[in-house]
């Protein structure tokens, strides 16, 4: 009775793994203290001598710090490409391609013009990274505890999607003010050259609403993006270790594990760019034009207009996502944070499914 019912549940779950292809576990299912060890995905094996307990306050704080480094530094590094991408979205007649966009920008503003918007980018995406990665770990543990060990395994992709969406909701509230200032600086020549000039001017013209009017389309862009970023990364890590990496994860060195992290991050980044690009186009135009709504901008751009700048965004987001996961995982290595292995079916579930003798 039990095996039949659970097997049917697992088969109809659209987010389940490809049936129950089991691997030999390298680590015991029970910890030394007798409590069940967590099996949520990460890009490397659990090491002895971790600096803190998985799920502790220190763990979450350092994960948030890793998010600051991974998002703040990478987004700032690609400001020139982001600037050209935004200008292609809001003024496609003038900035016809990536190469043309760079050439026109350098001709009009010099090479320093390519760095416009770096300050709000660094501040905004550092705050976003803190919330995105920190809260993802918090919600992943929270939802896992609600589901229980067996359901966490069966519905792990759904868990990744829910945890990342919850985290991004708060991350975008932190990002919105700086994103609005960044777009004004980059897409409205003569409006302001620095954050110190831009922020007071925006507040004087439109009040506090100027900084948050783009938060809804930002949610439309970033929540699907982050859900894809985390869920695709977690499942790609599983797949790479299972089918591509020629030796067990436990035998891989930390540099080799970080290579797997980078590759999985890039694959996730390509999908992220595609699913979030239409909303990204709306955000760019909305923050440029006063008094517009997301619906008005979407109607103005049309089906083709929302895909302008997609190639630049794929290049940017693919590289960004790969580097972000690499930096984030490197921070975990440096601070000796727990890094659980990809999930394995709990022994209790194997017994219910009749998969053990």
């Amino acid at each position: 009775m039990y095996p039949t019912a659970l097997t049917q549940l697992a088969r109809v779950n659209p987010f389940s793994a490809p049936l129950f292809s089991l691997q030999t576990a390298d680590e015991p299912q029970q910890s030394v203290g007798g409590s069940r060890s967590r099996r949520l995905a990460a890009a490397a094996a659990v090491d002895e001598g971790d600096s803190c307990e998985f799920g502790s306050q220190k763990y979450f704080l350092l994960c948030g710090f890793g998010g600051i480094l991974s998002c703040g530094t990478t987004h700032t590094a690609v400001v020139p490409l982001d600037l050209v991408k935004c200008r292609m979205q809001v003024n496609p007649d003038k900035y016809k391609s990536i190469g043309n966009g760079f050439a026109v920008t350098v001709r009009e503003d010099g090479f320093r013009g390519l760095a416009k918007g770096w300050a709000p980018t660094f501040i905004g995406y550092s705050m976003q990274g803190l919330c995105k990665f920190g809260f993802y770990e918090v919600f992943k543990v929270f939802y896992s505890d609600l589901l229980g060990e067996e359901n966490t395994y069966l519905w792990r992709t759904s868990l990744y999607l829910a945890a990342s969406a919850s985290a991004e909701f708060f991350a975008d509230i932190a990002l919105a003010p700086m994103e609005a200032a960044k777009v004004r600086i980059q897409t409205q020549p003569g409006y302001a050259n620095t954050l110190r000039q831009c922020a007071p001017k925006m507040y004087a013209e439109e009040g506090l609403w100027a900084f948050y009017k783009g938060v809804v389309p930002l949610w439309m862009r970033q929540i699907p993006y982050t859900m894809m970023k985390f869920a695709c990364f977690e499942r790609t890590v599983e797949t790479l270790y299972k089918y591509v990496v020629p030796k067990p994860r436990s035998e891989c060195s930390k540099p080799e594990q970080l290579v797997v992290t980078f590759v999985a991050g890039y694959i996730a980044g390509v999908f992220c760019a595609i699913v979030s690009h239409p909303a990204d186009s709306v955000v760019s135009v909305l923050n440029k034009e006063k008094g517009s709504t997301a619906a008005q901008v979407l109607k103005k751009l049309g089906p083709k207009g929302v895909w302008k700048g997609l190639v630049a965004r794929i290049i940017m987001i693919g590289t960004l996502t790969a580097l972000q996961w690499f930096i984030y995982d490197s921070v975990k290595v440096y601070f000796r944070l727990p890094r659980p292995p990809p999930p394995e079916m709990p022994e209790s579930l194997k017994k219910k499914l009749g998969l053990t003798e």
Side-chain angles (χ1 to χ4, degrees), residues 64 126-136 167-168 170-172 174:
S126 292
M127 296 302 296
Q128 188 211 36
L130 169 67
C131 298
K132 184 197 296 277
F133 283 92
F135 285 156
Y136 173 69
E168 189 60 35
F170 296 101
D172 290 342

Side-chain angles (χ1 to χ4, degrees), residues 19 25 31 60 111 123 145 152 198 218 230 234 250-251 260 286 288 304 324 329 340 342-343 345 353 357:
L19 230 46
S31 64
F60 292 137
F111 284 100
I123 297 170
D145 289 341
T152 291
C198 185
L218 201 57
F230 282 87
E234 300 274 23
S250 58
E251 297 178 11
V260 174
L286 188 65
K288 177 193 174 187
K304 291 185 178 179
Q324 284 172 5
D329 212 23
M345 185 183 293
L353 293 170
E357 295 182 0

Side-chain angles (χ1 to χ4, degrees), residues 199-216:
K201 191 173 181 179
M202 289 176 63
Y203 184 78
E205 291 177 351
E206 301 180 62
L208 193 62
W209 175 243
F211 299 98
Y212 287 99
K213 70 175 185 178
V215 73
V216 173

Side-chain angles (χ1 to χ4, degrees), residues 167-181:
E168 189 60 35
F169 177 85
F170 296 101
D172 290 342
I173 295 173
L175 169 63
M178 294 296 103
E179 178 73 2

